[in-house]
């Protein structure tokens, strides 16, 4: 067992993937000598060389577009987008090319490209550095969209994403980069599949559905609720596309009440997708409407206001109260 | 737009030419080429057959068999010249108009029709032909070509890529990013811009104030303008640029100065934006006629040869028509195929639901 922070777990996972497969490449802005602005690729260029850890020009469309070309040539590029708000210049290549090209070829080609995006707020950053753009990508067929929430998952999921023959959008909760956990790096026995959701805390009164940075918030909320005699179940979705519906619906059927929590604006967010699916499949099991807690329908605010924008324990528990009040 | 600036974009081109519009062979100090009579006849055959494929496709569209078609009329020499410069190991990244290059890469012409008939989004295996899929989004493929070239570099392979795009595409960010990438990584790539003077209705002056080939110098690699209606010159210039790419000398931008004689696509109406005299002037520079008169004048081919090529074209056209009409609609459940390589629960669920729904009609 080794104690690793989430960022180091990603680093170790990528290192392992690069050792296992010489076709794996890392590319992005500042990923080489600097090791990325969050140091997630720290030391990889030193050990694998500039041909495998590629410092690119500063152009996101170029990063994804050339990664597609490298993948067509048999490589497995792992692209780093420096911050969530800067994925939009690459959106065209991701949506019109990366997601659709394999289907365009009737399956003749594969594009094993991973797009890593540090996402979410809570680090006091300036504009465009705290966003949660996942819904843009879950809406795009042809992409797999996953979000890790803790070091152990980060370590396994990044390796699984790199091994996948489909393009994967990989969200990393930037405010959790420094959190640590014990990880068994010697065995793969404990690895759940990339698209498996996990019940990370069992409970019986209501289900909290979360992913990425909000999983920890929900666990804390569940712990606080326990003191009030409430038993909350927390499900870490881990994968948004595809969604592990059996695990989600099973939890909903047991508790009958659901609160979805994410940082992205509630309006047209991924929570809307969850609410609709749950309503379709568990209508008669529900004791209350599916409630959503998330960002407002505003741009991400200046950092002095972000504590109000981001869901916290109180907002989660307030929603739980409402759910239980029906 | 000042008159001076607009002249800058379309100034009388300083271009490499090896065959005049009258079919006279001319020499060029840097780009001469030795072609046997047999090779010239073969290029002529390519030009004629490709034009025939194109004409047949336009006719098929008119008859409702294709939803739309992007004609290459007038651009045959640029495509055949550059396409024949490629070796088997080179990889081509086309737009939606590169039917002539597809021909050089042995893609069955009927496969080109699938996209335009609406039965698929491009149904050939790119690796089988080293000819990538058609790209509809303007400029996107140039980045894929550079990435692929970076892969060639890493594989230490004796190959290059060629990226095709139009004059309109040079305004796109992706094309400019691809120039930067290619230059910075010294990638083995040739950028082949077919400047056909128009981006749908927008003339070249709406894209640039300088001749396009000069853009390259700002990115740090050579640019050259070639007579895009001269198949010899296109072949010679592309061959040299590809060789430079393969031998570690980095990218080249080729601007093939040509003209789109047809409409942009079958849905376009060029009479709204361009004058007839322009087309008449370019007809005199027809890429096929000049090779024909060269062959004829120099007695490198006789009437029997021309007749046999025409007969072959007729047959190719008829065959293409027959096979186009025989192209069936896909099955409804094909919608769900190939979206992902690996199993995907949501796709499986929706496929099953839709299959059950369709079953309902069967009963
Ligand atoms: C990004 C994008 N914007 C707009 C279009 C619609 N469109 C299709 S072709 C075209 C003009 C392209 O001109 P050019 O690059 O010169 O190529 P040509 O067709 O003339 O060979 C436009 C605007 C598109 N396909 N992609």
């Amino acid at each position: 067992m080794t104690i690793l922070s989430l960022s180091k777990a990603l680093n170790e996972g990528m290192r392992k993937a690069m050792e296992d497969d010489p076709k794996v490449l890392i590319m992005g802005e500042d990923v080489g000598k600097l090791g990325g602005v969050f140091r997630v690729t720290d030391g990889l260029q030193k050990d694998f060389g500039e041909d495998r850890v590629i410092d690119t020009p500063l152009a996101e469309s170029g990063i994804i577009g050339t990664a597609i070309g490298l993948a067509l040539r048999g490589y497995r590029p792992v692209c780093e987008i420096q911050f969530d708000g800067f994925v939009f210049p690459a959106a065209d290549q991701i949506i019109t090319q990366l997601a659709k090209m394999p289907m365009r070829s009737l399956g003749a080609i594969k594009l094993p490209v991973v797009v890593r995006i540090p996402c979410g707020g809570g680090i006091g950053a300036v504009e465009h550095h705290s966003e949660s753009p996942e819904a843009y990508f879950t809406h795009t067929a042809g992409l797999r969209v996953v979000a890790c929430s803790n070091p152990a998952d980060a370590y396994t999921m990044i390796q699984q994403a790199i091994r996948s023959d489909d393009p994967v959008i990989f969200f990393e909760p930037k405010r959790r980069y420094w959190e640590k956990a014990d990880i068994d790096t010697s065995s793969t026995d404990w690895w759940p599949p990339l698209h498996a959701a996990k019940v990370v805390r069992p409970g019986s009164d209501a289900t909290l559905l979360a992913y990425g940075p909000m999983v920890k918030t929900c666990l804390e909320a569940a712990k606080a609720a326990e003191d009030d005699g409430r038993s909350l179940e927390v499900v870490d979705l881990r994968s948004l596309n595809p969604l592990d519906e059996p695990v989600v619906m099973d939890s909903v059927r047991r508790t009958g009440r659901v609160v979805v929590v994410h940082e992205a604006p509630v309006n047209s967010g991924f929570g809307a997708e969850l609410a609709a699916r749950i309503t379709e499949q568990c209508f008669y099991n529900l004791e209350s409407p599916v409630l959503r807690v998330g960002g407002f329908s505003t741009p991400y605010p200046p950092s002095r206001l972000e504590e109000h924008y981001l869901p916290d324990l109180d907002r989660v528990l307030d929603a739980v109260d409402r759910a239980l009040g029906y | 737009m000042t008159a001076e600036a607009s002249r800058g974009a379309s100034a009388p081109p300083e271009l490499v030419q090896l065959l005049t519009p009258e079919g006279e062979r001319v020499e060029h100090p840097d780009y001469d080429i030795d072609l046997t009579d047999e090779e010239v006849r073969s290029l002529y055959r390519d030009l004629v057959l490709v034009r025939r494929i194109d004409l047949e496709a336009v006719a098929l569209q008119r008859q409702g068999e294709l939803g739309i078609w992007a004609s290459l009329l007038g651009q045959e020499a640029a495509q055949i010249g550059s396409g024949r410069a490629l070796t088997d190991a080179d990889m081509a990244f086309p737009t939606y108009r590169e039917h002539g290059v597809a021909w050089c890469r042995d893609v069955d012409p009927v496969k080109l029709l699938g996209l335009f008939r609406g039965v698929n989004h491009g149904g050939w295996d790119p690796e089988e032909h080293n000819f990538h899929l058609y790209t509809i989004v303007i400029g996107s493929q140039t980045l894929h070509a550079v990435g692929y070239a970076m892969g060639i570099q890493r594989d230490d392979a004796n190959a290059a890529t060629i990226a095709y795009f139009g004059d309109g595409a040079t305004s796109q960010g992706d094309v400019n990013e691809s120039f930067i990438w290619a230059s910075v990584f010294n990638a083995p790539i040739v950028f082949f811009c077919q400047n056909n003077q128009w981006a749908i209705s927008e003339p070249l002056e709406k894209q640039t104030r300088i001749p396009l080939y000069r853009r390259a110098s700002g990115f740090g690699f050579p640019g050259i303008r070639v007579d895009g209606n001269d198949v010899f010159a296109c072949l010679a210039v592309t061959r040299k640029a590809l060789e430079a790419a393969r031998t570690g000398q980095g990218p080249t931008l080729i601007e093939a100065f040509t003209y789109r004689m047809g409409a942009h696509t079958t849905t376009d109406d060029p009479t709204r934006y361009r004058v007839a005299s322009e087309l008449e002037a370019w007809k005199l520079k027809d890429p096929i006629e000049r090779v024909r008169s060269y062959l004829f004048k120099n007695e490198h081919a006789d009437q029997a040869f021309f007749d046999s090529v025409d007969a072959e074209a007729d047959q190719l056209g008829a065959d293409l028509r027959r096979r186009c009409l025989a192209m069936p609609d896909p099955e409804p459940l094909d919608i769900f195929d190939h979206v992902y390589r690996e199993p995907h629960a949501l796709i499986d669920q929706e496929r099953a639901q839709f299959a059950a729904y369709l079953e309902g009609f069967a009963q």
Side-chain angles (χ1 to χ4, degrees), chain A residues 92, chain B residues 70 75 95-98 135-140 165-170 172 194-202 207 260 264-265:
Chain A
D92 170 40
Chain B
Q75 299 180 219
T95 73
Y96 43 78
R97 201 190 289 283
E98 265 62 80
T135 303
I136 305 286
V137 180
I138 299 295
S140 285
F165 53 96
D167 42 295
T170 61
Q172 283 283 357
Q194 287 168 80
N195 176 359
N196 67 10
Q197 318 285 326
W198 293 93
I200 313 187
S201 71
E202 299 206 350
Q207 317 293 341
R260 186 193 86 209
H264 170 74
T265 65

mmCIF file of all heavy atoms in Angstrom, chain A residues 92, chain B residues 70 75 95-98 135-140 165-170 172 194-202 207 260 264-265, ligand 1:
data_model
loop_
_atom_site.group_PDB
_atom_site.id
_atom_site.type_symbol
_atom_site.label_atom_id
_atom_site.label_comp_id
_atom_site.label_asym_id
_atom_site.label_seq_id
_atom_site.Cartn_x
_atom_site.Cartn_y
_atom_site.Cartn_z
ATOM 1 N N ASP A 92 -14.856 21.898 -30.938
ATOM 2 C CA ASP A 92 -15.145 21.475 -32.311
ATOM 3 C C ASP A 92 -14.456 20.151 -32.624
ATOM 4 O O ASP A 92 -15.102 19.203 -33.096
ATOM 5 C CB ASP A 92 -14.687 22.560 -33.289
ATOM 6 C CG ASP A 92 -14.732 22.073 -34.722
ATOM 7 O OD1 ASP A 92 -15.695 21.376 -35.075
ATOM 8 O OD2 ASP A 92 -13.808 22.371 -35.491
ATOM 9 N N ALA B 70 -20.533 17.502 -54.422
ATOM 10 C CA ALA B 70 -19.540 18.570 -54.537
ATOM 11 C C ALA B 70 -18.653 18.238 -55.729
ATOM 12 O O ALA B 70 -17.840 17.318 -55.662
ATOM 13 C CB ALA B 70 -18.722 18.671 -53.253
ATOM 14 N N GLN B 75 -10.813 21.011 -61.322
ATOM 15 C CA GLN B 75 -9.736 20.767 -60.358
ATOM 16 C C GLN B 75 -9.079 19.398 -60.561
ATOM 17 O O GLN B 75 -8.345 18.919 -59.697
ATOM 18 C CB GLN B 75 -10.282 20.902 -58.926
ATOM 19 C CG GLN B 75 -10.835 22.289 -58.649
ATOM 20 C CD GLN B 75 -11.399 22.480 -57.247
ATOM 21 O OE1 GLN B 75 -12.404 23.142 -57.091
ATOM 22 N NE2 GLN B 75 -10.763 21.911 -56.227
ATOM 23 N N THR B 95 -10.720 16.834 -48.136
ATOM 24 C CA THR B 95 -12.000 17.461 -47.799
ATOM 25 C C THR B 95 -13.088 16.561 -48.386
ATOM 26 O O THR B 95 -12.864 15.370 -48.561
ATOM 27 C CB THR B 95 -12.123 18.875 -48.417
ATOM 28 O OG1 THR B 95 -12.325 18.742 -49.828
ATOM 29 C CG2 THR B 95 -10.873 19.702 -48.174
ATOM 30 N N TYR B 96 -14.190 17.166 -48.765
ATOM 31 C CA TYR B 96 -15.323 16.431 -49.342
ATOM 32 C C TYR B 96 -15.284 16.460 -50.864
ATOM 33 O O TYR B 96 -16.230 16.066 -51.513
ATOM 34 C CB TYR B 96 -16.624 17.094 -48.878
ATOM 35 C CG TYR B 96 -16.483 18.597 -48.954
ATOM 36 C CD1 TYR B 96 -16.584 19.270 -50.180
ATOM 37 C CD2 TYR B 96 -16.144 19.337 -47.828
ATOM 38 C CE1 TYR B 96 -16.353 20.624 -50.285
ATOM 39 C CE2 TYR B 96 -15.915 20.699 -47.920
ATOM 40 C CZ TYR B 96 -16.017 21.336 -49.154
ATOM 41 O OH TYR B 96 -15.767 22.679 -49.246
ATOM 42 N N ARG B 97 -14.204 17.051 -51.449
ATOM 43 C CA ARG B 97 -14.208 17.273 -52.894
ATOM 44 C C ARG B 97 -13.090 16.501 -53.589
ATOM 45 O O ARG B 97 -12.887 16.618 -54.790
ATOM 46 C CB ARG B 97 -14.050 18.778 -53.165
ATOM 47 C CG ARG B 97 -14.525 19.242 -54.536
ATOM 48 C CD ARG B 97 -14.107 20.689 -54.783
ATOM 49 N NE ARG B 97 -14.819 21.654 -53.980
ATOM 50 C CZ ARG B 97 -16.056 22.063 -54.207
ATOM 51 N NH1 ARG B 97 -16.724 21.616 -55.226
ATOM 52 N NH2 ARG B 97 -16.623 22.949 -53.404
ATOM 53 N N GLU B 98 -12.368 15.683 -52.836
ATOM 54 C CA GLU B 98 -11.154 15.080 -53.397
ATOM 55 C C GLU B 98 -11.423 13.763 -54.136
ATOM 56 O O GLU B 98 -10.730 12.759 -53.932
ATOM 57 C CB GLU B 98 -10.115 14.885 -52.288
ATOM 58 C CG GLU B 98 -9.127 16.021 -52.176
ATOM 59 C CD GLU B 98 -9.744 17.363 -51.823
ATOM 60 O OE1 GLU B 98 -10.030 17.591 -50.648
ATOM 61 O OE2 GLU B 98 -9.948 18.170 -52.738
ATOM 62 N N THR B 135 -13.910 15.021 -44.942
ATOM 63 C CA THR B 135 -14.190 15.850 -43.782
ATOM 64 C C THR B 135 -15.045 17.032 -44.212
ATOM 65 O O THR B 135 -14.679 17.774 -45.123
ATOM 66 C CB THR B 135 -12.873 16.349 -43.145
ATOM 67 O OG1 THR B 135 -12.081 15.213 -42.825
ATOM 68 C CG2 THR B 135 -13.149 17.137 -41.888
ATOM 69 N N ILE B 136 -16.173 17.170 -43.549
ATOM 70 C CA ILE B 136 -17.120 18.215 -43.925
ATOM 71 C C ILE B 136 -16.805 19.531 -43.211
ATOM 72 O O ILE B 136 -16.966 20.599 -43.772
ATOM 73 C CB ILE B 136 -18.572 17.783 -43.574
ATOM 74 C CG1 ILE B 136 -18.905 16.434 -44.226
ATOM 75 C CG2 ILE B 136 -19.570 18.848 -43.969
ATOM 76 C CD1 ILE B 136 -19.147 16.478 -45.698
ATOM 77 N N VAL B 137 -16.375 19.429 -41.971
ATOM 78 C CA VAL B 137 -16.064 20.644 -41.216
ATOM 79 C C VAL B 137 -14.787 21.249 -41.809
ATOM 80 O O VAL B 137 -13.741 20.597 -41.847
ATOM 81 C CB VAL B 137 -15.870 20.340 -39.720
ATOM 82 C CG1 VAL B 137 -15.559 21.624 -38.956
ATOM 83 C CG2 VAL B 137 -17.116 19.682 -39.145
ATOM 84 N N ILE B 138 -14.886 22.475 -42.263
ATOM 85 C CA ILE B 138 -13.778 23.070 -43.005
ATOM 86 C C ILE B 138 -12.512 23.187 -42.142
ATOM 87 O O ILE B 138 -12.538 23.811 -41.085
ATOM 88 C CB ILE B 138 -14.176 24.471 -43.531
ATOM 89 C CG1 ILE B 138 -15.364 24.371 -44.481
ATOM 90 C CG2 ILE B 138 -12.999 25.168 -44.208
ATOM 91 C CD1 ILE B 138 -15.101 23.619 -45.757
ATOM 92 N N GLY B 139 -11.459 22.584 -42.605
ATOM 93 C CA GLY B 139 -10.144 22.742 -41.989
ATOM 94 C C GLY B 139 -9.765 21.699 -40.947
ATOM 95 O O GLY B 139 -8.578 21.540 -40.644
ATOM 96 N N SER B 140 -10.739 20.990 -40.386
ATOM 97 C CA SER B 140 -10.448 20.050 -39.288
ATOM 98 C C SER B 140 -9.358 19.038 -39.637
ATOM 99 O O SER B 140 -8.511 18.703 -38.815
ATOM 100 C CB SER B 140 -11.701 19.247 -38.921
ATOM 101 O OG SER B 140 -12.590 20.042 -38.209
ATOM 102 N N PHE B 165 -7.100 21.106 -48.647
ATOM 103 C CA PHE B 165 -8.090 22.069 -48.165
ATOM 104 C C PHE B 165 -8.243 23.169 -49.215
ATOM 105 O O PHE B 165 -7.442 23.247 -50.160
ATOM 106 C CB PHE B 165 -7.688 22.652 -46.806
ATOM 107 C CG PHE B 165 -6.294 23.239 -46.765
ATOM 108 C CD1 PHE B 165 -6.087 24.588 -46.949
ATOM 109 C CD2 PHE B 165 -5.205 22.420 -46.548
ATOM 110 C CE1 PHE B 165 -4.812 25.121 -46.921
ATOM 111 C CE2 PHE B 165 -3.909 22.947 -46.524
ATOM 112 C CZ PHE B 165 -3.712 24.305 -46.710
ATOM 113 N N GLY B 166 -9.251 24.001 -49.038
ATOM 114 C CA GLY B 166 -9.524 25.041 -50.019
ATOM 115 C C GLY B 166 -9.036 26.404 -49.574
ATOM 116 O O GLY B 166 -8.500 26.567 -48.472
ATOM 117 N N ASP B 167 -9.245 27.387 -50.423
ATOM 118 C CA ASP B 167 -8.832 28.745 -50.084
ATOM 119 C C ASP B 167 -9.631 29.286 -48.903
ATOM 120 O O ASP B 167 -9.087 29.976 -48.039
ATOM 121 C CB ASP B 167 -8.972 29.670 -51.296
ATOM 122 C CG ASP B 167 -10.258 29.415 -52.079
ATOM 123 O OD1 ASP B 167 -10.389 28.312 -52.644
ATOM 124 O OD2 ASP B 167 -11.139 30.297 -52.096
ATOM 125 N N GLY B 168 -10.908 28.941 -48.833
ATOM 126 C CA GLY B 168 -11.704 29.407 -47.697
ATOM 127 C C GLY B 168 -11.168 28.860 -46.385
ATOM 128 O O GLY B 168 -11.129 29.559 -45.364
ATOM 129 N N ALA B 169 -10.724 27.632 -46.431
ATOM 130 C CA ALA B 169 -10.238 26.965 -45.219
ATOM 131 C C ALA B 169 -9.029 27.661 -44.606
ATOM 132 O O ALA B 169 -8.785 27.550 -43.400
ATOM 133 C CB ALA B 169 -9.873 25.511 -45.536
ATOM 134 N N THR B 170 -8.290 28.410 -45.430
ATOM 135 C CA THR B 170 -7.081 29.040 -44.880
ATOM 136 C C THR B 170 -7.413 30.077 -43.821
ATOM 137 O O THR B 170 -6.545 30.512 -43.087
ATOM 138 C CB THR B 170 -6.251 29.719 -45.992
ATOM 139 O OG1 THR B 170 -7.043 30.742 -46.608
ATOM 140 C CG2 THR B 170 -5.809 28.706 -47.032
ATOM 141 N N GLN B 172 -9.508 29.442 -41.400
ATOM 142 C CA GLN B 172 -9.880 28.724 -40.175
ATOM 143 C C GLN B 172 -8.714 28.631 -39.184
ATOM 144 O O GLN B 172 -7.552 28.476 -39.585
ATOM 145 C CB GLN B 172 -10.322 27.296 -40.510
ATOM 146 C CG GLN B 172 -11.729 27.207 -41.078
ATOM 147 C CD GLN B 172 -12.812 27.342 -40.010
ATOM 148 O OE1 GLN B 172 -12.513 27.445 -38.817
ATOM 149 N NE2 GLN B 172 -14.056 27.346 -40.436
ATOM 150 N N GLN B 194 -6.070 23.833 -52.661
ATOM 151 C CA GLN B 194 -6.611 24.083 -53.994
ATOM 152 C C GLN B 194 -7.328 25.419 -53.950
ATOM 153 O O GLN B 194 -8.448 25.511 -53.448
ATOM 154 C CB GLN B 194 -7.580 22.961 -54.397
ATOM 155 C CG GLN B 194 -6.861 21.669 -54.730
ATOM 156 C CD GLN B 194 -7.827 20.510 -54.837
ATOM 157 O OE1 GLN B 194 -8.474 20.339 -55.851
ATOM 158 N NE2 GLN B 194 -7.918 19.711 -53.781
ATOM 159 N N ASN B 195 -6.637 26.421 -54.441
ATOM 160 C CA ASN B 195 -7.249 27.738 -54.490
ATOM 161 C C ASN B 195 -8.121 27.788 -55.739
ATOM 162 O O ASN B 195 -7.658 28.108 -56.818
ATOM 163 C CB ASN B 195 -6.162 28.813 -54.523
ATOM 164 C CG ASN B 195 -6.749 30.203 -54.662
ATOM 165 O OD1 ASN B 195 -7.977 30.354 -54.762
ATOM 166 N ND2 ASN B 195 -5.901 31.206 -54.671
ATOM 167 N N ASN B 196 -9.382 27.476 -55.536
ATOM 168 C CA ASN B 196 -10.304 27.484 -56.690
ATOM 169 C C ASN B 196 -11.065 28.802 -56.764
ATOM 170 O O ASN B 196 -12.099 28.892 -57.401
ATOM 171 C CB ASN B 196 -11.240 26.272 -56.642
ATOM 172 C CG ASN B 196 -12.212 26.321 -55.472
ATOM 173 O OD1 ASN B 196 -12.332 27.335 -54.782
ATOM 174 N ND2 ASN B 196 -12.921 25.233 -55.233
ATOM 175 N N GLN B 197 -10.566 29.777 -56.066
ATOM 176 C CA GLN B 197 -11.029 31.184 -56.135
ATOM 177 C C GLN B 197 -12.300 31.485 -55.347
ATOM 178 O O GLN B 197 -12.592 32.642 -55.093
ATOM 179 C CB GLN B 197 -11.272 31.640 -57.583
ATOM 180 C CG GLN B 197 -10.241 31.191 -58.582
ATOM 181 C CD GLN B 197 -8.942 31.962 -58.464
ATOM 182 O OE1 GLN B 197 -8.953 33.134 -58.150
ATOM 183 N NE2 GLN B 197 -7.832 31.300 -58.684
ATOM 184 N N TRP B 198 -13.021 30.484 -54.972
ATOM 185 C CA TRP B 198 -14.297 30.739 -54.322
ATOM 186 C C TRP B 198 -14.511 29.807 -53.125
ATOM 187 O O TRP B 198 -14.172 28.628 -53.192
ATOM 188 C CB TRP B 198 -15.464 30.522 -55.312
ATOM 189 C CG TRP B 198 -15.474 31.528 -56.416
ATOM 190 C CD1 TRP B 198 -14.901 31.398 -57.647
ATOM 191 C CD2 TRP B 198 -16.041 32.841 -56.375
ATOM 192 N NE1 TRP B 198 -15.077 32.534 -58.379
ATOM 193 C CE2 TRP B 198 -15.793 33.443 -57.626
ATOM 194 C CE3 TRP B 198 -16.758 33.560 -55.409
ATOM 195 C CZ2 TRP B 198 -16.207 34.742 -57.930
ATOM 196 C CZ3 TRP B 198 -17.184 34.843 -55.719
ATOM 197 C CH2 TRP B 198 -16.910 35.427 -56.966
ATOM 198 N N ALA B 199 -15.093 30.376 -52.068
ATOM 199 C CA ALA B 199 -15.579 29.582 -50.932
ATOM 200 C C ALA B 199 -17.101 29.783 -50.932
ATOM 201 O O ALA B 199 -17.580 30.802 -50.443
ATOM 202 C CB ALA B 199 -14.964 30.062 -49.626
ATOM 203 N N ILE B 200 -17.793 28.868 -51.514
ATOM 204 C CA ILE B 200 -19.180 29.083 -51.938
ATOM 205 C C ILE B 200 -19.231 30.415 -52.682
ATOM 206 O O ILE B 200 -18.605 30.510 -53.746
ATOM 207 C CB ILE B 200 -20.214 28.973 -50.794
ATOM 208 C CG1 ILE B 200 -19.956 27.688 -49.935
ATOM 209 C CG2 ILE B 200 -21.627 28.896 -51.373
ATOM 210 C CD1 ILE B 200 -21.025 27.410 -48.888
ATOM 211 N N SER B 201 -19.858 31.438 -52.117
ATOM 212 C CA SER B 201 -19.997 32.686 -52.879
ATOM 213 C C SER B 201 -18.897 33.695 -52.569
ATOM 214 O O SER B 201 -18.850 34.766 -53.155
ATOM 215 C CB SER B 201 -21.356 33.321 -52.577
ATOM 216 O OG SER B 201 -21.352 33.828 -51.248
ATOM 217 N N GLU B 202 -18.038 33.345 -51.630
ATOM 218 C CA GLU B 202 -17.071 34.353 -51.207
ATOM 219 C C GLU B 202 -15.782 34.252 -52.011
ATOM 220 O O GLU B 202 -15.124 33.212 -52.020
ATOM 221 C CB GLU B 202 -16.782 34.195 -49.710
ATOM 222 C CG GLU B 202 -18.028 34.392 -48.879
ATOM 223 C CD GLU B 202 -17.739 34.856 -47.469
ATOM 224 O OE1 GLU B 202 -16.560 34.841 -47.066
ATOM 225 O OE2 GLU B 202 -18.698 35.236 -46.789
ATOM 226 N N GLN B 207 -10.868 36.206 -47.983
ATOM 227 C CA GLN B 207 -10.073 35.339 -47.102
ATOM 228 C C GLN B 207 -8.674 35.900 -46.884
ATOM 229 O O GLN B 207 -8.035 35.607 -45.887
ATOM 230 C CB GLN B 207 -9.937 33.916 -47.672
ATOM 231 C CG GLN B 207 -11.200 33.322 -48.270
ATOM 232 C CD GLN B 207 -12.295 33.052 -47.262
ATOM 233 O OE1 GLN B 207 -12.047 32.962 -46.057
ATOM 234 N NE2 GLN B 207 -13.522 32.915 -47.746
ATOM 235 N N ARG B 260 -12.828 26.565 -59.787
ATOM 236 C CA ARG B 260 -13.979 25.670 -59.664
ATOM 237 C C ARG B 260 -14.946 25.998 -60.792
ATOM 238 O O ARG B 260 -15.642 26.999 -60.732
ATOM 239 C CB ARG B 260 -14.620 25.945 -58.304
ATOM 240 C CG ARG B 260 -15.723 25.045 -57.900
ATOM 241 C CD ARG B 260 -16.438 25.659 -56.717
ATOM 242 N NE ARG B 260 -17.455 26.599 -57.138
ATOM 243 C CZ ARG B 260 -17.846 27.660 -56.436
ATOM 244 N NH1 ARG B 260 -17.304 27.942 -55.285
ATOM 245 N NH2 ARG B 260 -18.788 28.459 -56.904
ATOM 246 N N HIS B 264 -20.460 25.338 -56.384
ATOM 247 C CA HIS B 264 -19.789 24.838 -55.176
ATOM 248 C C HIS B 264 -20.266 23.420 -54.866
ATOM 249 O O HIS B 264 -19.476 22.509 -54.674
ATOM 250 C CB HIS B 264 -20.072 25.772 -54.009
ATOM 251 C CG HIS B 264 -19.640 25.221 -52.683
ATOM 252 N ND1 HIS B 264 -18.318 25.152 -52.306
ATOM 253 C CD2 HIS B 264 -20.355 24.678 -51.669
ATOM 254 C CE1 HIS B 264 -18.238 24.594 -51.107
ATOM 255 N NE2 HIS B 264 -19.454 24.295 -50.690
ATOM 256 N N THR B 265 -21.589 23.290 -54.782
ATOM 257 C CA THR B 265 -22.206 21.966 -54.744
ATOM 258 C C THR B 265 -23.451 22.065 -55.613
ATOM 259 O O THR B 265 -23.778 23.145 -56.110
ATOM 260 C CB THR B 265 -22.659 21.534 -53.327
ATOM 261 O OG1 THR B 265 -23.709 22.419 -52.913
ATOM 262 C CG2 THR B 265 -21.526 21.542 -52.336
HETATM 263 C C1 LIG C 1 -16.604 25.034 -40.195
HETATM 264 C C2 LIG C 1 -17.488 25.107 -41.393
HETATM 265 N N1 LIG C 1 -18.138 26.261 -41.662
HETATM 266 C C3 LIG C 1 -18.958 26.337 -42.741
HETATM 267 C C4 LIG C 1 -19.142 25.257 -43.555
HETATM 268 C C5 LIG C 1 -20.095 25.329 -44.752
HETATM 269 N N2 LIG C 1 -19.257 25.321 -45.982
HETATM 270 C C6 LIG C 1 -19.099 24.181 -46.670
HETATM 271 S S1 LIG C 1 -18.011 24.371 -47.927
HETATM 272 C C7 LIG C 1 -17.756 25.996 -47.569
HETATM 273 C C8 LIG C 1 -16.767 26.792 -48.392
HETATM 274 C C9 LIG C 1 -15.412 26.166 -48.408
HETATM 275 O O1 LIG C 1 -14.546 26.863 -49.243
HETATM 276 P P1 LIG C 1 -13.083 26.356 -49.515
HETATM 277 O O2 LIG C 1 -12.395 26.045 -48.248
HETATM 278 O O3 LIG C 1 -12.442 27.365 -50.399
HETATM 279 O O4 LIG C 1 -13.248 24.971 -50.276
HETATM 280 P P2 LIG C 1 -13.932 24.640 -51.686
HETATM 281 O O5 LIG C 1 -15.252 23.998 -51.383
HETATM 282 O O6 LIG C 1 -14.056 25.912 -52.464
HETATM 283 O O7 LIG C 1 -13.022 23.681 -52.341
HETATM 284 C C10 LIG C 1 -18.540 26.378 -46.482
HETATM 285 C C11 LIG C 1 -18.587 27.759 -45.949
HETATM 286 C C12 LIG C 1 -18.459 24.063 -43.223
HETATM 287 N N3 LIG C 1 -18.598 22.955 -43.933
HETATM 288 N N4 LIG C 1 -17.628 24.022 -42.157
#
